[in-house]
Amino acid sequence: MASMLLTSLRSSPLTSVQAAQFAARSLSTSVHLQAQAKSKKTLAKPGVKNIVLVDGVRTPFLQSGTTYADLMPHDLARAALQGLLNRTGLPKDAVDYIVYGTVIQEVKTSNVAREAALGAGFSDKTPAHTVTMACISSNQAMTTAVGLIAAGQCDAVVAGGVEFMSDVPIRHSRKMRKTMLSLNKAKTLGARLSLLGSIRLAHLSPELPAVAEFSTAETMGHSADRLAAAFGVSRLEQDEFALRSHTLAKKAQDGGMLSDVISFKVPGRDIVSKDNGIRPATMEQLAKLKPAFIKPHGTVTAANSSFLTDGASAVLIMSEEKALAMGYKPKAYLRDFVYVSQDPKDQLLLGPTYATPKVLEKSGLTLNDIDVFEFHEAFAGQIMANLKAMESDWFAQTYMGRKTKVGAPPMEKFNTWGGSLSLGHPFAATGCRLVTTVAHRLQKEGGQYGLVAACAAGGQGHAMVIEAYPQ
Amino acid sequence: LYYTISYHIISYHIILYYIMHHSMNLDVFRFNVCTRTHVSYEVKDNVAVVRINDPTSKVNTLGRHMQAELVEVINEIWGNSAVKSAVLISSKPGSFIAGADLNMFQACKTAEEVSYLLQAGQKMFEQIEKSPIPFVAAINGSCLGGGLEFAIACQYRIATKSKKTILGTPEVMLGLLPGAGGTQRLPKMVGLPAAFDMMLTGRNIKADKAKKMGLVHQLVEPLGPGLKSAEERTIEYLEEVAVDFAKGLTGKKVTVEKKKGLMQKVQDFVMGLPPVRKQIYKTVHNKVMKQSKGLYPAPLKIIECVQTGIEKGNAAGYLSESENFGKLAMTSVSRALIGLFYGQVACKKNHFGQPEREVKKLAVLGAGLMGAGIAQVTIDKGVATILKDTTEEGLARGQQQVYKGLNDKTKKKSLTTFERDRIMSLLSGQLDYRGFENADMVIEAVFEDLSIKHKVVKEVEAVIPPHCIFATNTSALPIKDIAAASKRPEKLIGMHYFSPVDKMQLLEIITTSKTSKDTTASAVAVGLKQGKVIIVVGDGPGFYTTRCLAPMLAEAVRALQEGVGPKKLDSLTTGFGFPVGAATLADEVGIDVAAHVAEDLGKAFGTRFGGGNVEVLKMMVQKGFKGRKSGKGCYVYGAKSKEKKVNSGAEDILKSFKLTAPPAVSADEDIQYRLVSRFVNEAVLCLQEGILPDPVQGDIGAVFGLGFPPCLGGPFRFVDSYGADKLVQKMKHFEEAYGNQFTPCQLLLDHAKDSSKRFHK
């Protein structure tokens, strides 16, 4: 990937504006000036409320089975919510509503939003609900918040998401569950004994959850491998992209860019303040790995896929008026967003390809207007396939009903602080990370528009345009 | 409730899997091809990629031309020292090699000629087997007959997991055997039992099963669309993977032999014992004899070839294979089966042109066995269907039948639960006429009573749009009588389905003199979409199929009255090649249905439909012996016992109607010919009267709808091969004893007089 980045840099030399930005960035005082100097039009629309991201935080994203191993999902969510309160100094009763995403549900806390909110000390008068939409669950939480504010029903909403892969619900088999439920109803000892006697070895085999599509029974990694093959993405390209992600994440981590990460004192363990999945390796090391899903000729490996992660995130979303009235300095405007969905078998992970042109059109922007891209990296092969699809007129015409391609984002603007491959991907927490990162990158780099895009199980996708708040 | 001819077991399992483009031609003609059109190759990284693509056909077949180019290319590859391995792949989506050219064998005059052709093919595949460089067969789509034999001569096989990828040796269904080394290589590759199963049933094997059996080494997942269409990219990907494996084989990174599990080792050891093998041959032989009644020579020859190869070595095996293939190609059974194959292909085409409008929304009236069955085969092809009944119980039963039909497929893994749900979402069960205003076709399958049908016609015509076609599913009521109630008889047509609709392949379409051509075209298009083999016949009592069956059943009743027991009757009919015995058939059809049909057609056609006494059937119905559906008919149907017991109540009735059997015409063979000759005579009469448009449709209708012995190829081919004169002689003999139900029709007499007259060329 590094080489690819170089080539793309070579082939599209920095424009003078960008060069000026780079030069200007060293002078921290000139950042504000810079943004205004760009003077692109604002995306505010008459009659539509301006909705802002006040701030966003996340717990460190840890590989599952590590320091968070003994927690429960709502513990992690609580940590993120408390972190948000600390970071913003928000009075707890100022929040009108809480929306939280989760994918793999802990059955004891099926409305994890409410449990976490209560535990985090929010007012028990603040209602909370949980949403689920696979890897775009917290995007859904945020857009739900946007909807509530736009509709005039709320002024301040907390959104977020949590995923806890260290412990997932493993169930008894259906046969066993049926027997056990009947056992509850059995009245006589004889009836109970005969039910117990009906238990066979087959009853005892448990049901494990899998990251597989219900509709097709195909695991996501398998689908990603097929998708990569369909777009002719080579193993080398995937490994290079994975390495790029880790390298950039490491740089961002070391450079203190990941300011959305809060420190979290894990009960019974140490304080955690860093993501622990960032591991830049060498191409040789990556090349050694065997394919993880399609064997022996597949290309998706453990190293070029996102890993199972524990983590939670939270953002504070407000109407601009309310934020200003409370004395906040918002970070960004949340503008147009779209959800898309397509064939869950052969186009499972192509959400960004479908969502990007749609949201750009809605905002009246082109790809060139976007300064910051943050795409969810489920698999290196999935990202590369999306980039190739976005670069293809044939694909746009044949499958998207468009006249021309939308084009692929330039790599120098793309996921420059790492991505899900390296930072980790706690399914329902990733969306808020993407939006917060866009806001932070816009501030740091002086850009005006950012684009978030993500794919999700079920063949769905999402994209959102974010506008820097004038500084 | 439904009085429609219904069968369960008809030989669709024998016929169903006929492969559309099966053909074989293994003759190696080394004429020089200047520019190659069918086979091309390029060398990639020391791997020769040989691409097959017959530009003249939708599928690849091993024809004369293809064969010549292949030989040329393979020789070139062997002569090129830069080539270290080869990949054999088809550029055609959905077809690797579907077989070879049947016409080649049909053109041969003698068995020796055929054997000679085969030996050349055997030699070519043997050379590939012993090739100095490894060959990888990259299989996507049908890999059948000669195509499979080609693939198994290669050193390594990779197949896509596509639904279209099927492997198999269907030769047995054409009365032939895998003649290019198949009987020799398969047993070594997949073991004796599996090889017998493949070759004796001719069944199609899907890629994942093939992998488990050891028929292919590696599977490749089909891809979705990328920068090219899914099909195109999948073939490309298969090639890329195959090239990698070819390189791996050269570099010894990939091994051909897979590690054998303990079970496999034990099985190999056991199979290594001559007495065990002997026992297997014997068991398989007995099983074949039991199922085929000795009427089909091919399965026995397959066993012989396998046995010869294993016990006496390759040379003897190949010789036995080519010689036996030659002999089989000359048998009437093989000709009959091949005739059916071509007939079926012909009956899967729409000869009435493109209909003006495509049927996108269908409505079925009556959620009984037939109605629900019709709905099932319509929605599973993606056509939205309304299923309407008059009662909630009836509707619920019908919807459950559709659900069960689809759910059973999920159990067999031919459908996922998700696909099942999607298909079910196309079904709208209802009690009213909502949505009929958008229907393009209505098929009614209500009770077979003219006044009810009339009522339905009027009700439906009041709600459907003008372009909508009204089809009536009836097994015997003349369509013009039903059409009498219609304001638009040009849009009315008969569609006679066979039960169970999702299993029986035949659809008999009946046109009246007023039915428009577009209506017919539309009905045929719908039937084809439903996967049916279609015959289009003229209107009249019983149309074609029911009309042929009725006299045979009348004769069966006669035989029963004469003291031939149901079991004996069954064994006589199955011994003649009918897949279901006549007594069992009556039970399956329903005794009440049989009685109804016998009475109606008896009235229409008079004494020609006599013989047995209808009162026998009526009495049985009175006593509740309605056949399988009521638990009792000729037999008693218990849930548990496998052995069917004769219903003593029915026997008592038969005794009370007892007739004396005339000894001159009551030998076993006489009884068989009494049954068959009446069937055949009525079929020929249908052709004579113009009910049937041609003998091909007559044969297809009889075999696919009524279970006429496939080995005889249908009534018309039977007359041709048996001889009309001999048949007429027999009938005259019967006529003397019984009267005019055995009077041969004029057309049959014409054929008897002039032996050059034949129904099939």
Side-chain angles (χ1 to χ4, degrees):
Chain A
M1 197 67 239
S3 68
M4 190 182 194
L5 182 59
L6 281 176
T7 30
S8 65
L9 276 177
R10 261 199 304 275
S11 59
S12 60
L14 294 175
T15 62
S16 55
V17 177
Q18 284 169 320
Q21 280 178 39
F22 276 103
R25 202 175 300 149
S26 54
L27 310 165
S28 59
T29 47
S30 66
V31 167
H32 187 168
L33 252 176
Q34 238 296 206
Q36 282 186 335
K38 286 194 81 167
S39 73
K40 287 176 182 170
K41 67 175 177 11
T42 174
L43 296 175
K45 287 178 192 166
V48 177
K49 262 191 195 173
N50 280 329
I51 294 166
V52 295
L53 173 78
V54 175
D55 212 337
V57 299
R58 64 181 177 93
T59 69
F61 286 176
L62 302 190
Q63 297 178 58
S64 64
T66 60
T67 313
Y68 297 149
D70 298 326
L71 301 179
M72 282 181 67
H74 70 284
D75 295 325
L76 268 182
R78 197 174 63 230
L81 289 172
Q82 275 175 326
L84 185 70
L85 290 175
N86 291 342
R87 177 76 55 97
T88 57
L90 181 72
K92 286 172 181 176
D93 53 2
V95 177
D96 299 322
Y97 204 93
I98 296 169
V99 194
Y100 225 70
T102 197
V103 178
I104 311 268
Q105 276 195 351
E106 161 64 53
V107 285
K108 284 181 188 162
T109 56
S110 63
N111 187 3
V112 69
R114 178 65 173 161
E115 312 309 334
L118 286 174
F122 280 89
S123 160
D124 60 5
K125 301 285 188 293
T126 304
H129 85 263
T130 301
V131 295
T132 190
M133 201 172 179
C135 303
I136 49 177
S137 294
S138 58
N139 305 82
Q140 184 55 257
M142 287 183 287
T143 55
T144 302
V146 168
L148 286 169
I149 296 169
Q153 302 307 305
C154 298
D155 285 317
V157 180
V158 167
V162 62
E163 208 62 46
F164 188 67
M165 297 303 289
S166 290
D167 180 35
V168 291
I170 296 171
R171 300 200 294 180
H172 274 296
S173 68
R174 182 77 189 250
K175 280 178 185 162
M176 189 64 175
R177 301 202 306 267
K178 202 172 170 186
T179 311
M180 289 162 94
L181 289 170
S182 310
L183 209 55
N184 275 342
K185 289 178 193 155
K187 294 210 171 67
T188 65
L189 181 65
R192 271 178 224 132
L193 285 177
S194 94
L195 273 170
L196 287 173
S198 72
I199 296 174
R200 298 281 172 273
L201 210 58
H203 285 58
L204 300 175
S205 63
E207 266 179 34
L208 297 164
V211 188
E213 283 299 296
F214 182 75
S215 62
T216 61
E218 187 181 26
T219 63
M220 197 179 271
H222 197 277
S223 191
D225 204 318
R226 287 195 309 111
L227 185 74
F231 283 92
V233 179
S234 70
R235 167 77 182 266
L236 185 69
E237 284 175 281
Q238 294 180 45
D239 285 352
E240 278 174 350
F241 185 83
L243 185 57
R244 172 193 191 263
S245 181
H246 280 278
T247 310
L248 292 176
K250 181 84 174 100
K251 211 172 133 197
Q253 192 179 50
D254 292 347
M257 302 294 189
L258 307 179
S259 59
D260 55 338
V261 179
I262 53 159
S263 291
F264 173 25
K265 165 68 180 77
V266 182
R269 307 271 193 125
D270 293 335
I271 291 177
V272 184
S273 50
K274 270 187 169 181
D275 304 324
N276 73 357
I278 306 172
R279 284 179 302 175
T282 64
M283 284 302 289
E284 291 70 37
Q285 284 170 313
L286 295 182
K288 269 185 201 156
L289 284 175
K290 288 196 169 150
F293 301 99
I294 293 184
K295 297 161 187 170
H297 52 276
T299 52
V300 173
T301 67
N304 60 37
S305 314
S306 54
F307 48 88
L308 295 181
T309 314
D310 299 338
S313 57
V315 294
L316 176 60
I317 299 173
M318 284 185 172
S319 63
E320 184 179 22
E321 293 165 308
K322 175 81 173 180
L324 295 177
M326 287 183 73
Y328 284 117
K329 173 89 183 152
K331 289 193 163 164
Y333 290 111
L334 302 183
R335 299 298 192 192
D336 289 306
F337 60 86
V338 295
Y339 288 92
V340 294
S341 55
Q342 60 282 335
D343 172 18
K345 172 92 183 147
D346 289 332
Q347 303 195 343
L348 181 69
L349 305 172
L350 283 184
T353 298
Y354 283 87
T356 300
K358 244 179 141 174
V359 81
L360 287 177
E361 258 164 36
K362 226 174 169 182
S363 302
L365 299 176
T366 67
L367 203 75
N368 290 333
D369 296 322
I370 304 294
D371 303 301
V372 163
F373 292 90
E374 279 294 325
F375 277 33
H376 161 49
E377 301 167 349
F379 300 87
Q382 164 259 334
I383 287 288
M384 297 310 293
N386 271 284
L387 297 183
K388 292 193 182 206
M390 291 165 90
E391 265 303 333
S392 164
D393 280 325
W394 183 84
F395 190 85
Q397 286 153 6
T398 316
Y399 290 97
M400 296 168 66
R402 295 174 53 82
K403 286 202 181 83
T404 52
K405 65 186 181 185
V406 62
M411 293 312 286
E412 66 273 17
K413 295 179 181 174
F414 188 84
N415 293 11
T416 51
W417 292 358
S420 298
L421 285 173
S422 46
L423 301 170
H425 172 40
F427 305 141
T430 291
C432 290
R433 175 185 70 75
L434 294 172
V435 167
T436 308
T437 304
V438 166
H440 288 170
R441 278 183 59 199
L442 284 172
Q443 282 187 333
K444 269 270 184 309
E445 296 168 10
Q448 190 171 357
Y449 303 133
L451 178 77
V452 160
C455 58
Q460 310 210 72
H462 165 76
M464 182 188 259
V465 169
I466 293 156
E467 185 182 347
Y469 199 82
Q471 297 179 20
Chain B
L1 271 173
Y2 289 87
Y3 116 46
T4 307
I5 308 294
S6 69
Y7 301 107
H8 278 291
I9 329 161
I10 304 291
S11 63
Y12 63 83
H13 61 282
I14 303 182
I15 317 271
L16 189 69
Y17 298 112
Y18 266 38
I19 310 314
M20 286 299 297
H21 299 272
H22 178 90
S23 46
M24 322 196 84
N25 161 20
L26 303 158
D27 114 65
V28 184
F29 271 77
R30 302 203 175 205
F31 59 86
N32 260 338
V33 189
C34 300
T35 42
R36 288 194 281 261
T37 51
H38 289 50
V39 184
S40 63
Y41 84 103
E42 67 172 304
V43 181
K44 280 184 171 176
D45 273 352
N46 297 19
V47 181
V49 179
V50 181
R51 300 195 184 89
I52 313 167
N53 193 356
D54 181 347
T56 61
S57 163
K58 271 190 202 161
V59 295
N60 289 320
T61 46
L62 283 176
R64 199 182 276 250
H65 197 101
M66 175 79 81
Q67 191 98 21
E69 289 195 7
L70 269 171
V71 168
E72 208 181 83
V73 163
I74 289 166
N75 281 326
E76 251 178 67
I77 290 170
W78 278 331
N80 183 346
S81 60
V83 173
K84 305 288 182 220
S85 57
V87 167
L88 182 70
I89 193 167
S90 156
S91 324
K92 244 181 232 309
S95 165
F96 175 69
I97 299 174
D101 192 357
L102 270 177
N103 298 324
M104 287 298 301
F105 303 118
Q106 293 189 310
C108 292
K109 295 271 184 302
T110 64
E112 288 70 31
E113 235 178 293
V114 178
S115 305
Y116 177 75
L117 291 180
L118 281 160
Q119 282 157 8
Q122 288 177 338
K123 216 167 282 165
M124 172 181 157
F125 290 163
E126 201 181 356
Q127 278 179 315
I128 288 180
E129 189 177 37
K130 293 177 179 159
S131 162
I133 57 163
F135 270 75
V136 176
I139 303 162
N140 179 49
S142 51
C143 173
L144 300 167
L148 181 74
E149 290 177 300
F150 197 170
I152 61 174
C154 294
Q155 281 68 31
Y156 203 82
R157 283 162 296 286
I158 302 174
T160 62
K161 243 175 114 179
S162 152
K163 273 189 177 176
K164 284 183 181 166
T165 300
I166 45 168
L167 298 91
T169 49
E171 290 87 345
V172 71
M173 296 179 193
L174 301 174
L176 300 169
L177 54 77
T183 65
Q184 305 304 302
R185 286 193 188 91
L186 271 179
K188 286 174 198 144
M189 193 161 286
V190 298
L192 207 46
F196 273 137
D197 179 67
M198 276 180 74
M199 291 190 283
L200 295 175
T201 62
R203 80 171 89 236
N204 288 336
I205 294 165
K206 289 195 177 141
D208 43 0
K209 177 82 193 300
K211 169 97 188 321
K212 274 186 206 143
M213 289 169 65
L215 200 55
V216 302
H217 298 87
Q218 201 56 244
L219 296 179
V220 165
E221 293 288 333
L223 300 181
L227 300 177
K228 290 172 180 170
S229 77
E231 272 178 341
E232 206 180 332
R233 179 59 195 145
T234 298
I235 293 175
E236 240 179 45
Y237 180 55
L238 172 65
E239 183 182 307
E240 290 164 15
V241 174
V243 166
D244 272 354
F245 274 99
K247 282 193 248 175
L249 282 168
T250 320
K252 307 270 183 253
K253 279 180 201 150
V254 176
T255 46
V256 173
E257 293 300 318
K258 70 167 188 185
K259 270 187 199 160
K260 285 181 176 173
L262 183 64
M263 278 304 289
Q264 191 60 43
K265 281 181 187 162
V266 171
Q267 199 186 344
D268 286 356
F269 171 74
V270 174
M271 291 300 165
L273 305 170
V276 174
R277 290 202 302 267
K278 207 171 166 191
Q279 189 56 41
I280 291 178
Y281 302 136
K282 207 177 136 195
T283 313
V284 175
H285 188 275
N286 291 344
K287 213 172 160 187
V288 165
M289 283 305 288
K290 198 178 162 200
Q291 284 185 353
S292 71
K293 316 280 174 196
L295 297 168
Y296 295 81
L300 301 174
K301 294 292 185 197
I302 288 170
I303 300 170
E304 193 187 310
C305 291
V306 170
Q307 189 169 0
T308 308
I310 292 179
E311 308 302 333
K312 294 183 185 157
N314 277 347
Y318 283 125
L319 188 64
S320 162
E321 191 184 74
S322 61
E323 284 182 358
N324 278 322
F325 190 104
K327 285 181 200 160
L328 287 173
M330 295 295 131
T331 57
S332 66
V333 173
S334 176
R335 293 218 173 93
L337 292 173
I338 290 172
L340 284 174
F341 168 66
Y342 282 131
Q344 190 202 21
V345 171
C347 292
K348 284 221 168 219
K349 289 189 178 128
N350 195 341
H351 304 283
F352 296 85
Q354 181 94 6
E356 277 165 32
R357 293 177 81 128
E358 190 190 350
V359 171
K360 288 188 178 146
K361 187 163 184 180
L362 189 99
V364 179
L365 287 178
L369 267 180
M370 296 304 292
I374 296 165
Q376 186 189 325
V377 298
T378 313
I379 55 170
D380 74 5
K381 307 302 178 310
V383 178
T385 303
I386 294 172
L387 182 62
K388 181 197 175 300
D389 204 288
T390 48
T391 68
E392 206 168 278
E393 296 77 35
L395 183 61
R397 197 218 62 82
Q399 282 177 307
Q400 180 58 30
Q401 181 190 326
V402 177
Y403 180 81
K404 186 173 180 295
L406 296 171
N407 197 43
D408 286 351
K409 287 190 183 177
T410 67
K411 286 179 188 158
K412 287 185 202 148
K413 304 234 162 114
S414 62
L415 211 62
T416 67
T417 54
F418 171 72
E419 286 164 337
R420 174 201 64 201
D421 297 346
R422 285 285 286 245
I423 294 170
M424 275 307 279
S425 73
L426 292 169
L427 184 74
S428 163
Q430 57 192 59
L431 298 172
D432 55 18
Y433 282 108
R434 194 164 27 92
F436 275 59
E437 68 277 5
N438 299 320
D440 301 307
M441 179 183 278
V442 175
I443 301 177
E444 69 78 14
V446 303
F447 193 73
E448 294 238 29
D449 177 293
L450 197 57
S451 60
I452 295 178
K453 299 258 188 204
H454 279 171
K455 185 171 160 258
V456 164
V457 171
K458 282 177 190 151
E459 266 179 37
V460 170
E461 283 188 353
V463 290
I464 54 177
H467 75 272
C468 181
I469 289 161
F470 186 96
T472 171
N473 174 61
T474 169
S475 58
L477 294 176
I479 307 302
K480 66 174 183 335
D481 295 355
I482 296 172
S486 172
K487 283 187 287 189
R488 43 214 277 292
E490 73 284 356
K491 293 277 181 199
L492 198 143
I493 194 164
M495 288 174 87
H496 177 198
Y497 289 87
F498 293 74
S499 182
V501 179
D502 59 327
K503 301 262 160 56
M504 293 294 291
Q505 275 190 291
L506 191 72
L507 168 63
E508 184 179 28
I509 289 179
I510 306 104
T511 58
T512 70
S513 55
K514 287 179 184 162
T515 307
S516 76
K517 190 180 163 218
D518 183 62
T519 300
T520 313
S522 200
V524 172
V526 166
L528 288 177
K529 190 172 249 179
Q530 291 168 335
K532 298 294 169 196
V533 172
I534 295 170
I535 63 171
V536 181
V537 304
D539 193 20
F543 329 120
Y544 169 62
T545 52
T546 310
R547 186 169 154 186
C548 290
L549 186 65
M552 183 171 119
L553 280 182
E555 196 57 27
V557 172
R558 176 78 189 200
L560 289 169
Q561 281 179 264
E562 289 177 0
V564 178
K567 285 203 166 172
K568 171 84 176 170
L569 183 63
D570 274 357
S571 84
L572 286 176
T573 29
T574 54
F576 200 78
F578 282 91
V580 180
T584 306
L585 185 58
D587 277 0
E588 294 289 344
V589 171
I591 303 294
D592 51 338
V593 175
H596 209 153
V597 171
E599 203 166 24
D600 278 6
L601 295 189
K603 273 181 208 155
F605 294 111
T607 48
R608 197 172 77 242
F609 276 54
N613 191 339
V614 181
E615 295 304 317
V616 174
L617 298 173
K618 284 188 170 170
M619 182 78 88
M620 283 177 74
V621 175
Q622 235 173 47
K623 295 250 165 137
F625 306 151
K626 291 184 185 171
R628 177 188 281 276
K629 61 191 167 194
S630 66
K632 276 182 182 177
C634 296
Y635 295 98
V636 181
Y637 296 89
K640 280 170 197 168
S641 77
K642 270 188 183 172
E643 188 73 11
K644 273 189 297 190
K645 273 194 197 146
V646 174
N647 178 8
S648 57
E651 278 184 314
D652 292 342
I653 295 173
L654 286 170
K655 268 178 206 149
S656 66
F657 286 94
K658 185 147 177 73
L659 294 169
T660 322
V665 288
S666 295
D668 284 358
E669 199 194 294
D670 289 324
I671 297 169
Q672 288 176 326
Y673 277 93
R674 274 161 50 195
L675 292 162
V676 173
S677 62
R678 290 191 64 182
F679 187 120
V680 171
N681 185 48
E682 202 60 36
V684 176
L685 190 54
C686 284
L687 183 65
Q688 181 186 316
E689 290 178 359
I691 295 279
L692 261 184
D694 55 56
V696 172
Q697 299 192 54
D699 281 345
I700 293 295
V703 172
F704 285 82
L706 305 171
F708 191 88
C711 56
L712 302 177
F716 295 94
R717 194 169 292 276
F718 168 69
V719 173
D720 282 352
S721 61
Y722 184 76
D725 49 344
K726 269 170 79 187
L727 188 64
V728 164
Q729 236 172 33
K730 271 203 187 299
M731 288 186 75
K732 290 207 162 144
H733 184 48
F734 299 145
E735 190 182 10
E736 280 166 28
Y738 288 109
N740 74 344
Q741 62 263 42
F742 285 102
T743 310
C745 68
Q746 189 54 48
L747 187 57
L748 196 54
L749 289 173
D750 292 348
H751 277 242
K753 246 181 251 161
D754 179 357
S755 65
S756 72
K757 280 196 172 170
R758 301 179 76 78
F759 293 113
H760 296 282
K761 278 175 191 150

